């Protein structure tokens, strides 16, 4: 009887353990696996997901979407938070933005559909503005190298709390995929050594420095 009781107890224990482990695995499926499911499925919604998500190291999934007017305040807050962090690091890259000098332009770009919001679930992780053709600043900074057909990247910003997780690099990869075959142009202040190194490491070619800003361009692979 003791042997039967032991066997019965063991069976019960293993059964309980099985269901506990199965539940943990089910609930603990990370976002990378969810991303793989999006890629495997052939539904219209999954195709849209393929165009709008990036799987990050550690299982983080971020999505890209054109920002709506409702997102203006949180995007502006994020940009000014990043501008304040730059200033605290001794980099005067976005002082004009920090003082409110670009508020109207930021809203105008958003309303024109030039601004993208980068989310993880409902939390804003980053933003960037991508224009077809130059604005007045691009014409000034690029001078005789202005390309009317190029894409111009502005205000690429990532929440400082997640800045080292590769989100900025993922944004560039997404842009390269979405606008393959086109020319991408951008500039950043010469004194921001980390940002200059970042763009060079991503394969951007230097077009020299003008008015304190280093200019970079890249032909996006088709």
């Amino acid at each position: 009887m003791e042997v039967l009781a032991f066997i019965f107890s063991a069976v019960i224990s293993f059964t309980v353990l099985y269901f506990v482990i199965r539940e943990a695995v089910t609930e603990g499926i990370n976002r990378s696996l969810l991303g793989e499911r999006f890629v495997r499925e052939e539904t219209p919604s999954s195709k849209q997901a393929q165009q709008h998500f990036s799987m990050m190291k550690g299982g983080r999934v971020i999505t890209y979407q054109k920002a709506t007017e409702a997102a203006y305040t949180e995007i502006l807050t994020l940009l000014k938070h990043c501008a304040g962090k730059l200033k605290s690091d001794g980099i005067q890259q976005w002082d004009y933005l920090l003082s409110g000098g670009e508020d109207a332009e930021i809203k105008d770009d958003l309303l024109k559909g030039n601004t993208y919001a980068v989310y993880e679930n409902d939390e804003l992780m980053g933003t960037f503005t991508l224009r077809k053709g130059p604005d007045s600043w691009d014409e000034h900074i690029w001078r005789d190298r202005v390309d009317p057909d190029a894409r111009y990247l502005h205000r690429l910003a990532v929440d400082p709390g997640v800045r080292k997780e590769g989100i900025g690099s993922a944004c560039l990869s997404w842009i390269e995929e979405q606008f393959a075959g086109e020319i991408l142009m951008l500039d950043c202040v010469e004194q921001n050594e980390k940002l200059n190194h970042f763009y060079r490491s991503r394969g951007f070619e230097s077009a020299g420095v003008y008015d304190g800003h280093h200019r970079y361009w890249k032909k996006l692979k088709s």
Side-chain angles (χ1 to χ4, degrees):
M1 293 294 293
E2 292 182 0
V3 173
L4 290 176
F6 174 79
I7 294 174
F8 180 75
S9 176
V11 169
I12 294 297
S13 297
F14 280 117
T15 301
V16 171
L17 182 62
Y18 166 77
F19 282 106
V20 169
I21 292 174
R22 189 178 71 171
E23 182 67 18
V25 170
T26 300
E27 292 297 324
I29 292 175
N30 63 36
R31 295 182 178 88
S32 294
L33 292 179
L34 290 175
E36 291 174 5
R37 177 172 59 81
F38 289 151
V39 172
R40 288 197 303 269
E41 292 178 354
E42 294 298 332
T43 64
S45 60
S46 70
K47 291 179 181 178
Q48 184 178 10
Q50 289 183 55
Q51 296 172 2
H52 292 87
F53 83 94
S54 288
M55 291 181 292
M56 309 298 297
K57 292 180 179 179
R60 186 189 295 278
V61 171
I62 57 175
T63 61
Y64 311 86
Q65 56 186 268
K66 284 197 174 183
T68 64
E69 186 175 1
Y72 170 69
T73 299
E74 66 174 347
I75 287 177
L76 188 64
T77 299
L78 173 61
L79 288 170
K80 292 192 176 186
H81 181 44
C82 292
K85 181 66 169 62
L86 286 170
K87 186 173 184 177
S88 69
D89 291 339
I91 300 172
Q92 310 303 313
Q93 180 168 340
W94 281 355
D95 278 6
Y96 187 60
L97 185 156
L98 187 60
S99 66
E102 290 190 21
D103 289 11
E105 181 181 335
I106 291 168
K107 188 164 190 177
D108 185 58
D109 271 321
L110 189 151
L111 294 175
K112 289 179 178 177
N114 296 328
T115 298
Y116 292 80
V118 183
Y119 289 101
E120 181 184 31
N121 297 322
D122 295 325
E123 184 177 357
L124 185 67
M125 297 281 103
T127 182
F128 57 88
T129 293
L130 195 62
R131 303 191 191 106
K132 177 73 171 181
D135 66 359
S136 58
W137 171 256
D138 298 316
E139 291 174 347
H140 164 72
I141 209 71
W142 285 94
R143 307 176 72 201
D144 59 339
R145 297 197 58 164
V146 172
D147 184 341
D149 297 318
R151 299 274 173 178
Y152 291 82
L153 179 64
H154 293 277
R155 295 189 291 268
L156 172 59
V158 174
D159 186 332
V162 294
R163 185 167 290 168
K164 294 183 179 181
E165 295 191 29
I167 293 176
S169 186
C171 289
L172 284 181
S173 295
W174 184 84
I175 291 170
E176 291 179 14
E177 292 171 2
Q178 298 300 308
F179 302 98
E182 299 190 38
I183 299 292
L184 182 61
M185 305 176 78
L186 59 91
D187 64 87
C188 64
V189 293
E190 185 180 11
Q191 68 176 139
N192 193 335
E193 296 180 1
K194 290 183 179 179
L195 190 56
N196 279 277
H197 174 74
F198 169 68
Y199 286 125
R200 289 194 296 269
S201 71
R202 289 295 312 228
F204 283 85
E205 297 187 41
S206 172
V209 177
Y210 177 71
D211 195 14
H213 288 71
H214 210 132
R215 305 174 301 175
Y216 293 100
W217 70 278
K218 183 178 183 179
K219 175 66 179 293
L220 306 182
K221 294 181 179 179
S222 301

